[in-house]
Amino acid sequence: MATPGKRLKRLIAGQMLASRGLKTLGRPVAWVTSGAPVEPLLALGVIPFYPENHSAICAAKGMGAPLCQQAESMRYSRDLCSYFRVDLGSQVTGQSPFGVIPAPDLVVASNNICGTVQNWFRIIAQRHGVPFLFVDTPYSDNPPTRAEVEYVQTQLQELTQKVAGLTGRKFKESDLVRVEKNSLEALKLWAEILHFGAEKPAYFTSFDAFVYMYPIVTLRGTRWAVWFYKKLLQDIKDRRRHGQQSVPGERARVVWDNIAMWPVHKGLRKFFMQHNIALVTDTYTDAWRSDHLDPAKPFESMALSYTDIILNHGPMFRVNKLIAMVRDFKADGFILHSNRSCKRWSLGAYAVKKMVTKATGVPGLVIDGDMADPRAVSLDNIKHRLEPFFEMLTDE
Amino acid sequence: MHEIFLEIARDPIGYLQSWAKGSTRELALTFSGLFPLELLDAMGFHGVWLPPVLRNRYNRADTMLQVFMCSRARSFVDVVAGSELPVAAIGAVTDCDAKDVIPGVLHAGGCETPVVTLRMPIRVDTPAAVDFAVNGVRHWVAEAEHAFNRRLDPDLLAGACALRLRTRQRLSEMFQKLGTEVDPVFAYSAAVSAQVMEPEAFLHALDAAPWPKPDHKRRMIPVLMSGSELPNIKIIEDLAGLGALIVLDDTETGTRAASRPVQHPGCQDAETPPPPDLDGLLEAIGAGIVYKKHGPTKVSPAGNRIQGIVSAALDRGVQAAVLGLFKFCDPHAFEAPALIEQLKMAGIHSIVVETDKETGLLARERTRLQTLLEIVE
Ligand code: SF4
Ligand code: SF4
């Protein structure tokens, strides 16, 4: 029987093959941000491609440094998001673990994850000479107001019409409803899977989630994602039945905030295992746990769903999220990845740490790193920081 | 009379500290040129757009924030968290990632000063964005009245709108004459002072004497100054010292913030404002934030901004461009390569001056700038 890892590899290969094949048959391709409202695009038969996710895979495969350097040689500052620099480097050099990437016919971005993407995706659109469509999702420290949801909803309706016009494809609401049902099903399965980290001992960890999040990001809205997560859920249930916990001899449980550190992902995972520490949940993969989508109100619920996400809220939202995670996942500590590439996610980490510790009584640690530029992450330094932290957590 | 502008630009905190000692009005701060100070004035505060306050260490901010936040934002957090000024209220505004997180960082860091955020669109190219901005202003007023425990006075608002608009119009006139009839050090000092002084006092000082002219006896190279906010007046002084004459501005400190309109009959005459029309004024304020000239933090029709800068530079005979960037300022760092490229295609060479903690130009930047000026001469 195929392992989840093998299934994922086949899924990615199949997705890329299908994208390239359909593109040659005339199907339009949209390069989109990870938080872009993809459902209307899928309903119109547009094939989405996710540069951020692609950058993550490039980084995990050790391609981060040369691709970043390529972007820097074009005068883009080393202080800019490394996903952007990796992506630009890949576009310019044509290097990618995926082989040939289907070129975009349009670009769709939304600022619900950060301000970086509006600049980055505009650069993509300009390089390829294709339209740049943008959905403005107002940032707020509070839950979205009625006016904010309406503002986004209007734009989603306009976006749908524009994409239909640009691609010459006919929009049917029934298609959107079908796609949203797929998204919702995958989101629910994903939430159920993530919850296995809450069991003590854990049967699923964030190190698994970082890898298996690929379909929820890039195949949301399709039956492929639903298929993958049904199988994965079954695998985890089987493992639990056989008592195969994720971290044998689990000694302590930790919550992670921010994006994974792809350049040192494997080494970090090994280090956690060696110390019998389970990374039980994280704010990164949890971002795709939203339950706002409602196919009965396709545009309105989509507007709320794509506005009310963690990165579109301020540090206090993160504080409350982490407090809830520490409690629900019975964590002994938490780690904040101070990711110099992702300012939206990282800024304020020291203040966040203090507040979470004050509210939960569990210790936290801020570690410096980067999600894709290996020159800004040192596994050795991180280990030196983690070692005493782990000792403190496991000290009986 | 004009000397006060340079003093304020060099030490805005010192000026505000002594202002606070002699005033019964309370101080309310913002950190962005997008924020309409007239809203704070109309609640009885003295509204101040605090300029960047660069320093070698941001001791208080560093306990809450990482070093990879621009020092424009870090310095604001540092001043507020260090209680360097008696700040009664803060009007925040959504814009770039750094500005977006400031309120949450202050809150999580235990700051007790009430902060209310004005939620603005990032798009500035649709009627829906205008509606959203108008709604944002109304929403802000309701939230602020509650959080600041004060009413916004419609009479005060009409007067404040008129005074603040007059201030911006005068600054716009001045920046039109930048480098030709107005000395750049004076213009930027005045612009920074307008952020800090009470508008009546500012307008009085501005018109107390003729505006100083640039030194036309020296051979100077006409340059464009582009960037977010002016990090410090010392940069402008250093540029002048090296023989660069700023003839065109593209900064928030200069022309961009000054371009914000408030299209309402109630704002046209500061001396005799017509009867207050609160709803109409709030609508005009919200729309004006969308209509103003923006930097790269906003999404507007692609390419327009850069093309506009290049053609203005050609019109003004610019020979070199200075891109004054804060380190870790993503919006401007993203824009810089394309701006440099387009300027180059128009025959204008650029130099990037990156500021983090230091005021003025670093030795290596001076050398590079000197070389550039010699090349274009
Ligand atoms: S800044 Fe952060 S959220 Fe934005 S693209 Fe980069 S990693 Fe993603
Ligand atoms: S625009 Fe740039 S300099 Fe200004 S606050 Fe934002 S990041 Fe900082």
Side-chain angles (χ1 to χ4, degrees):
Chain A
M1 204 176 77
T3 60
K6 283 205 177 120
R7 274 201 300 271
L8 182 63
K9 270 192 188 151
R10 275 194 226 138
L11 187 72
I12 298 174
Q15 181 197 18
M16 290 314 297
L17 203 66
S19 304
R20 284 192 288 262
L22 289 169
K23 166 97 186 174
T24 51
L25 293 174
R27 282 272 286 276
V29 169
W31 286 21
V32 300
T33 57
S34 62
V38 77
E39 285 79 4
L41 303 180
L42 290 171
L44 284 161
V46 176
I47 305 158
F49 174 76
Y50 293 77
E52 287 155 77
N53 208 262
H54 175 246
S55 292
I57 293 175
C58 289
K61 300 265 180 208
M63 299 166 73
L67 295 179
C68 281
Q69 276 159 350
Q70 172 63 42
E72 289 153 22
S73 74
M74 298 163 72
R75 288 180 177 268
Y76 286 100
S77 164
R78 194 170 164 168
D79 299 328
L80 289 171
C81 166
S82 51
Y83 275 178
F84 159 70
R85 285 177 287 137
V86 168
D87 174 58
L88 185 63
S90 167
Q91 285 183 56
V92 173
T93 60
Q95 288 171 18
S96 162
F98 289 171
V100 178
I101 309 274
D105 298 289
L106 64 144
V107 167
V108 181
S110 171
N111 57 333
N112 53 5
I113 53 168
C114 65
T116 286
V117 290
Q118 78 206 41
N119 299 297
W120 169 5
F121 280 69
R122 191 187 338 235
I123 291 169
I124 296 178
Q126 281 165 350
R127 282 186 63 79
H128 291 270
V130 298
F132 171 65
L133 307 179
F134 186 79
V135 180
D136 183 4
T137 45
Y139 175 93
S140 169
D141 286 317
N142 305 311
T145 61
R146 187 71 240 135
E148 283 161 351
V149 173
E150 277 168 14
Y151 175 50
V152 177
Q153 186 179 338
T154 309
Q155 293 177 77
L156 290 176
Q157 281 157 338
E158 279 169 15
L159 172 83
T160 308
Q161 281 164 14
K162 269 194 198 148
V163 176
L166 285 166
T167 58
R169 302 178 78 89
K170 200 166 155 37
F171 173 71
K172 281 197 264 153
E173 191 158 308
S174 56
D175 289 332
L176 179 61
V177 169
R178 175 180 47 79
V179 171
E180 283 196 10
K181 281 185 180 158
N182 287 340
S183 285
L184 201 59
E185 198 176 346
L187 289 164
K188 281 187 178 152
L189 285 164
W190 182 238
E192 204 179 334
I193 288 165
L194 293 182
H195 202 69
F196 280 90
E199 297 203 7
K200 202 169 176 177
Y203 287 94
F204 191 77
T205 71
S206 288
F207 284 114
D208 303 317
F210 291 153
V211 175
Y212 299 132
M213 70 189 288
Y214 182 92
I216 199 67
V217 181
T218 74
L219 288 163
R220 198 171 66 247
T222 69
R223 293 310 295 168
W224 297 27
V226 174
W227 168 82
F228 181 82
Y229 289 124
K230 276 189 175 161
K231 292 259 185 211
L232 182 60
L233 185 61
Q234 195 51 52
D235 290 332
I236 300 167
K237 284 181 178 168
D238 289 347
R239 278 212 338 249
R240 185 178 54 178
R241 217 179 32 250
H242 294 113
Q244 293 169 353
Q245 59 195 73
S246 289
V247 178
E250 178 184 298
R251 293 178 71 202
R253 302 160 64 80
V254 173
V255 174
W256 177 273
D257 178 45
N258 214 307
I259 304 176
M261 292 180 177
W262 299 116
V264 297
H265 178 75
K266 282 192 187 145
L268 206 55
R269 177 181 201 145
K270 199 166 149 201
F271 190 70
F272 271 69
M273 278 296 231
Q274 282 165 349
H275 288 78
N276 309 89
I277 307 289
L279 193 61
V280 288
T281 193
D282 65 279
T283 52
Y284 180 34
T285 58
D286 184 85
W288 282 269
R289 200 203 262 268
S290 160
D291 55 4
H292 291 311
L293 270 185
D294 176 0
K297 293 183 271 178
F299 280 102
E300 188 188 336
S301 67
M302 208 178 4
L304 179 61
S305 182
Y306 282 101
T307 308
D308 192 17
I309 61 173
I310 185 166
L311 274 176
N312 210 24
H313 293 303
M316 282 311 294
F317 190 90
R318 232 160 72 234
V319 167
N320 292 329
K321 185 88 212 169
L322 285 164
I323 292 171
M325 283 181 154
V326 166
R327 192 190 54 222
D328 297 346
F329 285 74
K330 301 171 260 316
D332 307 294
F334 60 97
I335 294 170
L336 306 171
H337 170 196
S338 171
N339 178 354
R340 60 179 288 130
S341 262
C342 188
K343 298 182 177 73
R344 182 69 90 79
W345 210 318
S346 305
L347 288 173
Y350 308 127
V352 168
K353 183 189 121 176
K354 273 190 211 146
M355 283 201 100
V356 177
T357 296
K358 197 172 160 203
T360 61
V362 308
L365 182 74
V366 179
I367 51 175
D368 296 328
D370 191 282
M371 76 252 167
D373 186 346
R375 297 165 302 168
V377 201
S378 157
L379 186 57
D380 284 341
N381 285 351
I382 293 168
K383 284 181 180 173
H384 287 140
R385 298 270 292 139
L386 287 179
E387 207 132 41
F389 184 64
F390 287 170
E391 270 169 28
M392 181 174 69
L393 296 183
T394 53
D395 192 10
E396 275 132 33
Chain B
M1 194 67 185
H2 283 154
E3 295 77 58
I4 187 160
F5 291 160
L6 196 55
E7 280 167 33
I8 292 174
R10 284 181 179 153
D11 182 16
I13 299 287
Y15 173 81
L16 284 168
Q17 282 168 340
S18 48
W19 173 88
K21 279 189 198 133
S23 175
T24 51
R25 279 170 90 188
E26 285 187 296
L27 194 62
L29 297 186
T30 186
F31 45 74
S32 168
L34 282 183
F35 193 93
L37 290 176
E38 54 269 31
L39 294 179
L40 298 171
D41 297 345
M43 296 181 101
F45 297 114
H46 168 36
V48 166
W49 164 22
L50 194 72
V53 184
L54 299 190
R55 30 185 73 155
N56 280 330
R57 298 181 66 84
Y58 299 95
N59 288 330
R60 268 92 37 154
D62 288 353
T63 63
M64 306 178 203
L65 279 167
Q66 295 91 327
V67 294
F68 49 80
M69 185 188 224
C70 67
S71 42
R72 186 306 144 246
R74 274 166 84 207
S75 72
F76 183 84
V77 171
D78 208 56
V79 168
V80 172
S83 306
E84 290 173 43
L85 295 170
V87 185
I90 295 172
V93 59
T94 55
D95 189 28
C96 60
D97 285 348
K99 288 186 197 118
D100 287 353
V101 301
I102 289 178
V105 166
L106 286 171
H107 187 168
C111 164
E112 281 168 11
T113 310
V115 186
V116 178
T117 303
L118 173 61
R119 267 113 78 177
M120 284 293 112
I122 287 300
R123 292 184 75 152
V124 286
D125 59 348
T126 62
V130 177
D131 290 346
F132 182 74
V134 170
N135 223 305
V137 170
R138 291 197 183 118
H139 199 88
W140 185 89
V141 171
E143 268 188 75
E145 285 189 337
H146 178 72
F148 302 161
N149 199 19
R150 292 190 179 210
R151 298 271 306 138
L152 181 135
D153 182 329
D155 288 311
L156 283 183
L157 183 63
C161 275
L163 272 171
R164 293 285 181 183
L165 183 65
R166 179 95 191 107
T167 302
R168 294 195 299 280
Q169 284 167 342
R170 297 291 282 144
L171 289 175
S172 294
E173 282 163 32
M174 191 166 66
F175 276 93
Q176 285 278 321
K177 300 173 182 166
L178 190 67
T180 50
E181 291 169 54
V182 179
D183 172 53
V185 174
F186 170 75
Y188 284 99
S189 306
V192 173
S193 301
Q195 296 177 215
V196 172
M197 294 173 83
E198 286 175 305
E200 302 90 330
F202 170 77
L203 288 168
H204 180 73
L206 185 72
D207 292 325
W211 297 343
K213 294 197 182 306
D215 180 3
H216 287 304
K217 279 180 241 117
R218 264 177 82 195
R219 165 89 182 103
M220 305 267 279
I221 305 292
V223 304
L224 154 72
M225 178 77 202
S226 176
S228 50
E229 286 177 56
L230 181 69
N232 193 279
I233 194 66
K234 183 87 174 33
I235 288 188
I236 306 296
E237 293 178 293
D238 286 354
L239 286 173
L242 288 170
L245 178 67
I246 303 172
V247 294
L248 179 64
D249 169 84
D250 164 49
T251 67
E252 203 61 35
T253 307
T255 46
R256 296 209 300 253
S259 72
R260 179 170 65 85
V262 180
Q263 286 160 357
H264 189 276
C267 302
Q268 304 318 316
D269 184 353
E271 270 87 58
T272 51
D277 160 23
L278 181 61
D279 214 48
L281 279 171
L282 296 182
E283 191 176 330
I285 291 169
I289 298 171
V290 175
Y291 297 145
K292 82 180 261 295
K293 231 168 142 183
H294 288 284
T297 58
K298 299 290 183 201
V299 172
S300 53
N304 278 4
R305 202 185 107 73
I306 291 183
Q307 282 156 18
I309 297 170
V310 174
S311 57
L314 290 172
D315 282 353
R316 302 283 288 225
V318 162
Q319 290 184 15
V322 177
L323 274 53
L325 307 188
F326 279 101
K327 188 163 171 62
F328 306 117
C329 169
D330 289 354
H332 284 272
F334 264 112
E335 186 187 60
L339 181 56
I340 291 169
E341 185 62 30
Q342 300 273 324
L343 285 166
K344 196 170 156 194
M345 279 160 61
I348 301 167
H349 288 277
S350 311
I351 182 168
V352 173
V353 172
E354 198 177 59
T355 308
D356 189 12
K357 297 171 173 177
E358 52 299 304
T359 53
L361 298 175
L362 296 173
R364 74 183 136 82
E365 286 168 346
R366 281 172 181 277
T367 315
R368 279 169 49 223
L369 193 69
Q370 241 158 359
T371 313
L372 175 66
L373 296 177
E374 275 167 31
I375 291 170
V376 298
E377 195 170 5

